[in-house]
Amino acid sequence: MTDTTKKIKFEDLGLSERVLGAIYKKGFEEPSPVQALTIPVMLRDDTNIMAQAQTGTGKTAAFGLPLIELINTKEKNVQALILAPTRELAIQVSDEIHSLKGKSDLKVIPVYGGQSIDQQLRRLKKGVHIVVGTPGRVIDHLKRKTLNLKDIDHLVLDEADEMLNMGFIDEMEEIMKYTNENKRTLLFSATMPAKIKSLASKYMGKYEVLKVKKQTLATNLTEQIYYEVKVSDKFEALSRIIDIEEDFYGLVFCKTKNDVDNVATHLAERGYDTGAIHGDIAQNQREKILGQFKKKRINVLVATDVAARGIDVNNLTHVINYSIPHDPEAYVHRIGRTGRAGNQGTAITFITPREYKKLMFIQRVAKTDIKKSKVPNVKEIIATKKKMINEDLIAMNAGEVKDVYFDWAKKLLEFNNPTQILGNLLSYCFDEELDPNIYNEIQELSGKKEKGRDKGRAIDVDGKSRLFVALGRKDKMHAGKLVQFIIQNTGVKNKKIQQVEVYDKFSFITVPFKEAEIILNRFQRKAKNRKSLVVRAKAK
Ligand code: AMP
């Protein structure tokens, strides 16, 4: 088993200048642990690889970047097939590889059920190098002979455990038959149950296991919460957090240099005292910004993980994970910057609905408790601002106010109503600051559909997961009985189980993400190495 080595640079991994250029353009500063492990091995020789990695750890680039290096774009044939359990993942993986290809002529397309097969046919005919597909649709193309896998050099099984959980084993085995013997197989899986290992030994022969080394993690006094927000609402959420705090003093972590620049520029435009640090900012400039932050001349510092590494500031009130960190180690490292030396701090992580699973993984490994909370609403912020103004006004010592103001006040009150005058004065001073219209609306995620690509997707929307239960009417199940069955086996509360649909051989239920994790884990454990009775529903 290979172990991870930390603090490796992209330049150390054997990637070409061209690919390095594309990586930096995308704004990645340093490889994530799974990338540091996988990329050199993939570029070294054609060893089969089994890597343990969750979604969100950068695993797509871990296999995508070497593929970009290795594929011969002068040829027109398909050279790599990436199998993914859901169409959503297939699109995501294809988009990510596309965004990393830089100036290369590499063609990558997603193929998945639900999209017009003709459109896919046309694109396949034109010649593509990487196909990212869901098993069912890949088989359709193979049977129609519109996809030829005879010459592929790489087969990637992405989220292999999910594919098995979703019952794709027959499809996976069938697809393998269409491929050649000499290809290299790469298996990525969040978990490594026995069934994954037996799949690997059956189809991969010899393989290398890559596993990111786990560290002992300890979190501190920090209160940890998360908000589920759309990407487009993150900035508004950040502004509200800063505004509702009396003395916000915090670090905002973003994944890429580009994100850091965007967030910091936006904050400055809205009048916050802010600074940005990342790898492209010259050392002396970084030190200058850090100096200002330490002296609290700026109270919001936006940074990448790399740039923030050397920061030695103890008394932060907040750490904001504007983007969820790659792995539990990074999470603990980030939030360790607050709550030090007996101070209570708050760590807030923004997640989009599809990042929920990753957050739960971080929570599990970091052995910590991250509670769901709501972005402060505008009324609360205005009320807090008023409270602060009141406190400031009341706390001002008479000695601090020059005599001319008292004389002025006396004159004004001689002929005017005091309430009226004070009201006018407050409005004159604070109208702008207390105007609710400076805030933009934030879309509540629970109970509403996400727009765009996710529309109509059957699973993992609205903070909820749709689960498939392998019991139906033939097993004498009806809705009430099924709910009882789930409750008895998992302890999940009745009201959390919704949209119960019972069919002849199977059923569906919809539950919030948290309960879905509990239910899936309990049933997986009960099933041991057999197929679990409850799995995530496939996308429709
Ligand atoms: P994945 O695990 O492949 O789904 O990636 C999760 C997210 O991390 C994607 O938005 C990637 O663009 C991003 N990402 C991957 N590698 C890096 C890196 N080295 N630095 C910053 N962001 C990255």
Side-chain angles (χ1 to χ4, degrees), residues 10 23 26-35 53-63 65 89 92-93 96 99-100 158-159 254-257 259 305 324 326 355 358:
F10 274 117
I23 294 171
K26 176 121 171 142
F28 293 178
E29 277 199 309
E30 68 168 7
S32 70
V34 68
Q35 291 163 0
Q54 287 267 329
T55 294
T57 51
K59 72 177 160 55
T60 314
F63 60 76
L65 290 168
L89 185 67
Q92 210 174 295
V93 168
E96 177 81 353
S99 77
L100 286 166
D158 196 6
E159 296 199 358
C254 297
K255 203 163 353 198
T256 66
K257 293 181 272 195
D259 290 346
D305 288 287
I324 188 166
H326 276 310
E355 285 168 336
K358 188 172 174 204

Side-chain angles (χ1 to χ4, degrees), residues 210-261:
L210 304 181
K211 203 169 174 189
V212 176
K213 191 173 139 198
K214 284 209 176 72
Q215 289 184 344
T216 357
L217 302 172
T219 46
N220 48 18
L221 275 174
T222 310
E223 182 196 8
Q224 298 164 59
I225 55 179
Y226 73 91
Y227 296 147
E228 220 174 88
V229 283
K230 282 175 35 175
V231 173
S232 53
D233 285 337
K234 282 188 179 183
F235 184 75
E236 180 65 26
L238 174 63
S239 315
R240 291 189 188 189
I241 295 166
I242 301 174
D243 287 354
I244 203 161
E245 283 307 317
E246 212 158 313
D247 285 308
F248 182 94
Y249 183 44
L251 252 175
V252 179
F253 282 98
C254 297
K255 203 163 353 198
T256 66
K257 293 181 272 195
N258 305 354
D259 290 346
V260 167
D261 285 337

Side-chain angles (χ1 to χ4, degrees), residues 278-312:
H278 57 62
D280 279 358
I281 294 173
Q283 183 64 25
N284 57 354
Q285 176 67 5
R286 259 195 270 173
E287 276 164 18
K288 199 171 131 206
I289 294 169
L290 263 177
Q292 290 174 333
F293 186 57
K294 279 189 183 162
K295 289 186 193 126
K296 297 201 181 172
R297 284 208 197 111
I298 56 180
N299 65 330
V300 193
L301 184 63
V302 193
T304 53
D305 288 287
V306 182
R309 212 164 267 151
I311 300 181
D312 172 31

Side-chain angles (χ1 to χ4, degrees), residues 409 412-426:
L412 271 172
L413 293 178
E414 241 172 72
F415 304 107
N416 295 295
N417 173 322
T419 313
Q420 178 71 47
I421 283 294
L422 191 54
N424 293 353
L425 184 64
L426 290 173

Side-chain angles (χ1 to χ4, degrees), residues 317-509:
T317 60
H318 285 76
V319 165
I320 314 284
N321 294 317
Y322 198 86
S323 351
I324 188 166
H326 276 310
D327 46 43
E329 286 81 16
Y331 178 82
V332 172
H333 201 235
R334 284 182 183 185
I335 73 160
R337 295 232 159 62
T338 167
R340 278 192 196 162
N343 293 324
Q344 170 94 40
T346 307
I348 302 176
T349 304
F350 293 166
I351 60 159
T352 59
R354 66 166 69 125
E355 285 168 336
Y356 181 81
K357 269 199 265 175
K358 188 172 174 204
L359 184 79
M360 289 301 109
F361 170 72
I362 289 176
Q363 174 168 280
R364 206 167 49 241
V365 177
K367 297 194 187 66
T368 181
D369 189 19
I370 314 174
K371 293 203 171 64
K372 183 171 174 134
S373 186
K374 277 197 163 185
V375 180
N377 68 36
V378 178
K379 262 197 193 147
E380 288 166 340
I381 298 173
I382 306 272
T384 312
K385 281 185 176 175
K386 276 191 191 156
K387 190 173 148 259
M388 290 194 270
I389 293 171
N390 285 348
E391 284 170 4
D392 283 352
L393 288 177
I394 294 164
M396 277 172 87
N397 286 322
E400 281 177 58
V401 185
K402 290 187 188 132
D403 285 346
V404 315
Y405 291 104
F406 286 117
D407 296 341
W408 193 349
K410 272 184 215 153
K411 274 216 176 98
L412 271 172
L413 293 178
E414 241 172 72
F415 304 107
N416 295 295
N417 173 322
T419 313
Q420 178 71 47
I421 283 294
L422 191 54
N424 293 353
L425 184 64
L426 290 173
S427 156
Y428 186 82
C429 297
F430 301 112
D431 237 8
E432 216 173 301
E433 195 180 336
L434 298 177
D435 179 4
N437 296 321
I438 57 172
Y439 293 99
N440 296 314
E441 229 182 277
I442 288 191
Q443 193 182 321
E444 276 275 346
L445 280 180
S446 50
K448 286 202 183 109
K449 284 250 175 272
E450 270 195 277
K451 289 202 188 93
R453 178 179 289 162
D454 290 335
K455 213 170 168 182
R457 197 159 54 95
I459 51 170
D460 290 359
V461 283
D462 312 340
K464 298 206 176 79
S465 289
R466 190 162 187 252
L467 304 181
F468 170 93
V469 187
L471 294 169
R473 283 194 211 105
K474 73 166 179 35
D475 309 290
K476 307 211 166 30
M477 272 298 165
H478 54 73
K481 207 166 151 195
L482 181 67
V483 171
Q484 276 317 310
F485 173 75
I486 302 284
I487 295 172
Q488 274 158 16
N489 280 281
T490 63
V492 162
K493 296 229 163 60
N494 192 339
K495 62 172 189 251
K496 302 280 181 193
I497 307 173
Q498 292 161 1
Q499 292 171 35
V500 183
E501 299 162 35
V502 182
Y503 298 94
D504 266 358
K505 295 187 183 159
F506 52 82
S507 313
F508 291 105
I509 56 169

Side-chain angles (χ1 to χ4, degrees), residues 10 13-23 39 42-43 61 63-73 79 97 100-101 104 106 130 154:
F10 274 117
L13 304 180
L15 294 161
S16 66
E17 286 298 321
R18 195 187 49 156
V19 170
L20 287 174
I23 294 171
I39 296 173
M42 269 183 82
L43 294 178
F63 60 76
L65 290 168
L67 287 182
I68 294 170
E69 290 285 3
L70 296 168
I71 276 170
N72 179 356
T73 51
Q79 293 163 51
I97 295 179
L100 286 166
K101 79 182 177 73
S104 144
L106 183 100
I130 304 181
H154 316 270

